[in-house]
Amino acid sequence: MTDTELLERITVRGDVFGGKPIIRDMRIAVEHVLAMLAAGDTAETILEEYPDLQTEDIRACLLFAHRSLAGEHVHDRVAVRKAS
């Protein structure tokens, strides 16, 4: 999966978590997945706790964080969805 395809998994909806980046339009915040990883949870643990997630979603979160810290404007490339 390309970086572009991974980043397409990250979306923003103003009505979900105050417009924070989420995964595939679900109510799972990128920052939550990153916090779990930082706390020492493995990808396998996260996937067990959130069966709707896929390995590529975790990779997308890491890529999003990396690109953000590298100074890239990834927020400009994230799909913004209207409230449903």
Side-chain angles (χ1 to χ4, degrees):
M1 185 167 279
T2 67
D3 286 0
T4 299
E5 291 169 325
L6 286 171
L7 289 175
E8 286 173 352
R9 291 174 164 268
I10 308 299
T11 57
V12 170
R13 284 182 37 194
D15 63 325
V16 177
F17 302 133
K20 291 182 178 184
I22 57 177
I23 300 166
R24 288 188 292 122
D25 219 19
M26 298 184 288
R27 298 185 70 84
I28 303 173
V30 169
E31 73 178 85
H32 181 68
V33 172
L34 294 171
M36 291 178 73
L37 291 168
D41 289 328
T42 64
E44 292 78 18
T45 300
I46 295 169
L47 295 172
E48 286 174 15
E49 288 189 32
Y50 296 93
D52 290 334
L53 287 182
Q54 300 169 353
T55 302
E56 291 82 5
D57 297 323
I58 296 171
R59 289 183 54 216
C61 291
L62 292 169
L63 179 62
F64 183 87
H66 167 74
R67 292 273 181 97
S68 295
L69 287 171
E72 295 184 31
H73 297 283
V74 288
H75 287 284
D76 297 344
R77 291 184 248 164
V78 170
V80 177
R81 311 267 192 240
K82 298 205 185 251
S84 47

